[in-house]
Amino acid sequence: MNISYNWLKTYIAFDYDIYELDNILTMLGFELDSYQVLDDRYSNFTIGKIKQVVRDPSADALSICQVDIEGYTMQIVCGAPNVAVNQKVVVATEGAVIPSNRLKIVNRNIRGHLSEGMICSQAELEFGSDSSGIWVLPDDAPVGVPFVEYMDIDDIILEISLTPNKADCASHLGVAREIAAYMREKIQPPAFLLNETQERCSDHIDVSIEDEKLCQRYIARVIRNVKNGESPLWLKNALLKTGIRPINIVVDVTNYVLMEYGHPLHAFDLNKIAGNTITVKTGFDGCKFTTLDGKERTLDGDMLMICDADKPIAIAGVMGGENAEITDDTTDVVLEAAYFAPSSVRRTAKKLGLATDASYRFERGTDINALSTSIDRAAQLIAELAQGHVLSEPVERYPNIYEPLIIELPFEKVMQVIGADVDTDDIMHILYLLDFTIVDETKSSITVEVPSRRRHDVGSYIDLIEEIARLINYDNIEPDFTSAIDFNKTELPATLTPLPVRNRIRTYCANSGFCEILTHNMTDPYSASLFTDKAITINNPLGGEMSNMRPSMITQMLKTIAFNIRQGSVNLKLFETGKVFLPYTSIANSFIDNIDEREHFVLAVTGSIASRQWAVPERKFDFFDMKGYIEDIFNFFNIRNYKIKPLDEDDNVFDKNSAKIVIDKRSIGKIGGISKNILKKYDIENQVFIADIDITELSDIEIPPPLYQPVTPYPVIMRDLSFIIDDRSSASDIIKNIKGKASSLLQSIDVFDVYQGKNIEKGKKNIGFSLTFGSSRRTLTDVEIEGEIAAIVNSIEKNFDAQLRKF
């Protein structure tokens, strides 16, 4: 919703700058999404007069124009078909930026002619939709005056978002009322005098409501002998600044009153209403109806329609129809002001996919008691601007008069909820400024009548307290952090203190593309039985699914993976840190007797390693991907002395393609694929790889601080060695042997190939190692490296009965 800064100041005098106003509106419950200083937007735009027009002989569509901007004549090459001598126009001079396309104006050569600016159209200036030619101003437009000054747009436009409960603020008066209350003042609404003829509205129009739940009030006014046409400049400016396109006087007035009061109005051409009758009803299922935007729409039986004696002429609360629209030829107007049920308008707008300024307000709830003021204001403006005659005694149907809500507000409740002492006089004054009428007052409470515009969001005393807190300003409410418990004297037990490594792991995983999950500490008996036969049970569980404290987080991770796969998300990288609970008869770090509460970290991958794309073949996650992630984490923490070894015994959760993680002879976790039997139990068909690490155990291991190692300026030497060895030998044992035989020049060892099959003897396998040698002090020679390679090969062939494979 666009709000004009200057328009607000016509109702309440303030001098806040845009930053102060932003803070005030935020405190009052609004969101200032953005703002636009029109003076900046239209800098370097000036009113000019065309003195000479010469057609370009080389291009019939171009004209070379001499344009006077008071004391200086510019040459401008123009392609508009309607350019002519003596026209008053808007000229963009050097440095201007065209609003519609962000084109910056500079002096340029066009077909051999110097062009020092640009003559603008309405569409280019975003002051209308006409792009057929230049914008020709009235003859009295002053030459040389800045466009901002001429159009009176030295203004700031605020783009404000309203929460659903602030429907009463969907207008300039609504926002101004809030600012005024913040300033402890009252707004000055527009004063107007409506002159009516002796002729009555009922002589020309009749109204009936068939569905009184969907239309609770309807008022119709008749204005005759209207001279419709183009609106005056001030009215067009007011609409354009708020993002509404001017059309003609009658339509522009209804939109102006919409932005002023917040209540939508609609105007019909009286001479197009069959039978001079308006009926509000439903029951047009399957009918076709063409709205004002020229689109044919299919109605259903629940949509509330405004009808004449023969046909529908408007969709109630959403948009009018072409068959009764106002044109420049309209002479007699019927103005409509109505209250439509918010749910009905919301449902209709959603079904039709048609969101309008009117539906935006009707959906949130308008003020049922503001209809008379809004329609009278519009009638007065139409009479003033289009010289129309306003008929007396508007036709009104109000079957069930609105009964205002009465609420008692105990002062004690205000103090309890806000948490601060608020003067009772201030409470009453705030509510008075917000138009709550005080109907009774005692020493301990007041009773107020809720204004009709607030019927949708104020329903009890707690809503009144919210209004008081807003106007006091939350920044002025001093927080009270005192407590009956002195936490300074009670230290958190060491066993409950978060481990420092936990958050470092979480941050690293999140930055590495993993998504964090958070699951319950409780699980079902089957999941618990996979890890212990003495699970810790809960005496008063919420149900069987949460009757055991979890001894592992793996099953919770599997449940999360299964849920995501059912939702269509099959490629997953997840992690979780949390507590597991294991039974112990005696343990030193136990917070609760006989329970070992430990921190664990679980990492899981499943599906494809990357999304499908034409240039890269699809590849599924495998054991080595998970192994690589764990190695990356250990390298990040500068943990070098870890080993990944085969499992010593069968595991009922992990499959054979699994291993354990060992540091300093302490097993701190497992890594590998989950067995098919377990996956089947959790309805997972895809292979899942998981790493489960005990970070309580990891925290007890001394982690050396990282040391800076300068990058060597000398080149490295790489050698590849492939050995045929017994398939029972492990790569880790060979790597250990290589490190033992090599000197400090060996920087790294990587396994680049493992192969069994054709051309390899049964019971044997081929393992390829890539060795990197380097020095930070000198350039190595092939001779010294060859000596190291020879010693390594001899040792491996001797100790592993291996054979160096030569190519």
Side-chain angles (χ1 to χ4, degrees), residues 178-247:
E178 294 281 309
I179 296 172
Y182 178 85
M183 298 170 62
R184 300 299 189 267
E185 296 182 16
K186 276 275 192 179
I187 60 170
Q188 299 297 323
F192 61 91
L193 179 63
L194 182 62
N195 294 316
E196 299 175 311
T197 67
Q198 295 297 317
E199 195 175 4
R200 296 179 303 176
C201 293
S202 58
D203 295 335
H204 298 273
I205 198 71
D206 188 30
V207 175
S208 64
I209 301 174
E210 291 190 4
D211 195 325
E212 297 178 356
K213 289 184 178 180
L214 301 186
C215 179
Q216 299 172 21
R217 189 181 184 189
Y218 194 102
I219 301 176
R221 264 196 176 278
V222 177
I223 308 167
R224 301 195 64 199
N225 304 320
V226 168
K227 295 179 181 178
N228 202 18
E230 188 176 354
S231 296
L233 188 61
W234 71 265
L235 179 54
K236 290 195 293 185
N237 285 352
L239 296 180
L240 287 166
K241 286 191 292 187
T242 56
I244 298 176
R245 179 174 61 90
I247 298 174

Side-chain angles (χ1 to χ4, degrees), residues 271-563:
N271 297 315
K272 296 177 183 178
I273 299 177
N276 285 33
T277 300
I278 287 178
T279 304
V280 187
K281 60 182 179 179
T282 59
F284 294 92
D285 192 22
C287 292
K288 303 294 184 181
F289 181 73
T290 303
T291 46
L292 285 170
D293 57 3
K295 296 181 180 179
E296 186 179 76
R297 305 180 187 277
T298 303
L299 308 176
D300 70 23
D302 294 329
M303 293 179 181
L304 189 66
M305 303 297 295
I306 312 299
C307 311
D308 62 15
D310 298 335
K311 60 190 179 297
I313 56 175
I315 303 172
V318 181
M319 186 179 283
E322 277 189 341
N323 53 11
E325 72 174 316
I326 298 292
T327 67
D328 289 350
D329 298 326
T330 297
T331 57
D332 299 326
V333 174
V334 175
L335 272 183
E336 166 198 279
Y339 180 89
F340 302 115
S343 58
S344 172
V345 177
R346 188 181 307 115
R347 183 169 55 248
T348 299
K350 291 293 184 183
K351 285 182 178 179
L352 296 176
L354 185 58
T356 63
D357 288 329
S359 67
Y360 176 85
R361 288 160 175 83
F362 278 125
E363 287 175 11
R364 286 158 175 77
T366 55
D367 184 357
I368 196 169
N369 284 344
L371 272 61
S372 297
T373 305
S374 300
I375 200 170
D376 288 352
R377 171 65 163 159
Q380 173 261 327
L381 287 172
I382 293 172
E384 177 184 321
L385 302 176
Q387 303 173 32
H389 301 144
V390 181
L391 276 55
S392 62
E393 299 181 19
V395 179
E396 180 175 1
R397 301 291 179 262
Y398 198 176
N400 299 300
I401 305 297
Y402 167 72
E403 291 291 336
L405 177 64
I406 306 297
I407 299 176
E408 182 182 3
L409 175 63
F411 295 133
E412 183 182 4
K413 291 289 186 182
V414 178
M415 315 307 176
Q416 289 176 352
V417 174
I418 294 180
D421 290 335
V422 184
D423 186 75
T424 55
D425 289 338
D426 201 17
I427 291 174
M428 291 187 287
H429 188 51
I430 288 172
L431 295 176
Y432 161 75
L433 293 171
L434 293 173
D435 294 340
F436 290 85
T437 304
I438 298 176
V439 296
D440 190 25
E441 177 184 349
T442 68
K443 289 184 178 181
S444 61
S445 69
I446 56 171
T447 302
V448 300
E449 178 184 305
V450 178
S452 55
R453 68 171 186 275
R454 303 300 302 276
R455 64 187 293 199
H456 300 285
D457 73 302
V458 175
S460 68
Y461 74 86
I462 198 70
D463 299 314
L464 297 178
I465 296 174
E466 180 186 358
E467 297 300 299
I468 295 165
R470 285 195 309 120
L471 271 298
I472 288 174
N473 190 327
Y474 293 108
D475 287 343
N476 293 331
I477 301 173
E478 293 189 14
D480 184 0
F481 296 111
T482 60
S483 173
I485 303 173
D486 187 355
F487 290 100
N488 294 322
K489 296 181 180 179
T490 305
E491 294 184 0
L492 191 67
T495 52
L496 297 182
T497 303
L499 298 174
V501 72
R502 181 181 65 179
N503 283 336
R504 292 185 66 193
I505 288 176
R506 292 175 62 230
T507 301
Y508 181 81
C509 290
N511 291 341
S512 300
F514 285 82
C515 294
E516 184 173 15
I517 68 170
L518 181 64
T519 60
H520 289 291
N521 287 339
M522 295 165 284
T523 189
D524 60 277
Y526 170 75
S527 297
S529 68
L530 294 173
F531 300 93
T532 180
D533 55 359
K534 296 180 180 179
I536 299 168
T537 59
I538 300 171
N539 289 333
N540 56 342
L542 297 175
E545 290 294 311
M546 304 181 75
S547 59
N548 284 231
M549 299 303 294
R550 65 183 180 191
S552 170
M553 297 193 299
I554 291 177
T555 53
Q556 306 288 66
M557 176 66 75
L558 292 176
K559 291 177 183 179
T560 303
I561 290 173
F563 174 81

Side-chain angles (χ1 to χ4, degrees), residues 716-736:
V716 298
I717 295 178
M718 300 181 67
R719 291 289 187 269
D720 291 344
L721 300 176
S722 289
F723 296 95
I724 298 175
I725 61 174
D726 190 283
D727 62 4
R728 291 173 296 181
S729 300
S730 68
S732 60
D733 290 337
I734 297 176
I735 290 173
K736 183 178 180 180

Side-chain angles (χ1 to χ4, degrees), residues 128-144:
S129 59
D130 186 4
S131 60
S132 61
I134 60 172
W135 185 5
V136 181
L137 302 176
D139 292 339
D140 60 356
V143 175

Side-chain angles (χ1 to χ4, degrees), residues 664-678:
D664 294 338
K665 298 182 180 180
R666 300 163 71 173
S667 178
I668 66 163
K670 296 179 181 179
I671 176 175
I674 302 300
S675 73
K676 292 183 178 180
N677 291 335
I678 298 298

